[in-house]
Amino acid sequence: MHLAYPAVLSVLLFCTGLYGVLARRNAILVLMSVELMLNAVNLNLVAFDVWLSKAAEETLHSGQALTLFTIAIAAAEIGIGLAIVLAVHRNRGTSDIDKLRDTAEGPDEDGPADDGPGTGTPAAGPAAEKAEATA
């Protein structure tokens, strides 16, 4: 078999994964696209290992060994990535990447708005009542 067939298939898989990473908005689909890209790399490693082993007298199978390491790293990455996505989904209620870009907590939307410095009026509302009750 020629080297071109698995190389072209690997390029197609990698480009499909790259499109998924750039175009998708769901975090789980982005993780799946990253896995697709890693599988394209694995296919390339094995294909080049077979191609180089035909030319060499001694076969080391280094491409297949690197593929096993890549699979182990991909399994760890998907486990940690899914744990992070699930934790964020529990806290925020969505896994949409566009809505998750701002991870810093801003001012409380339900709380009172500050009138600005120097107005001299204390803040009124539930937050002020809670502060007075705990004081």
Side-chain angles (χ1 to χ4, degrees), residues 53-125:
S53 68
K54 289 180 182 178
E57 294 176 4
E58 296 181 13
T59 57
L60 296 176
H61 299 296
S62 58
Q64 294 176 13
L66 285 173
T67 299
L68 289 175
F69 285 119
T70 307
I71 290 171
I73 290 171
E77 173 258 335
I78 199 68
I80 292 171
L82 280 176
I84 291 171
V85 167
L86 286 175
V88 168
H89 187 271
R90 284 183 188 164
N91 289 336
R92 302 243 177 159
T94 184
S95 62
D96 190 8
I97 293 176
D98 287 338
K99 294 179 182 175
L100 299 177
R101 289 182 191 244
D102 185 27
T103 57
E105 293 184 25
D108 194 15
E109 294 177 8
D110 297 332
D114 190 17
D115 292 329
T119 57
T121 59

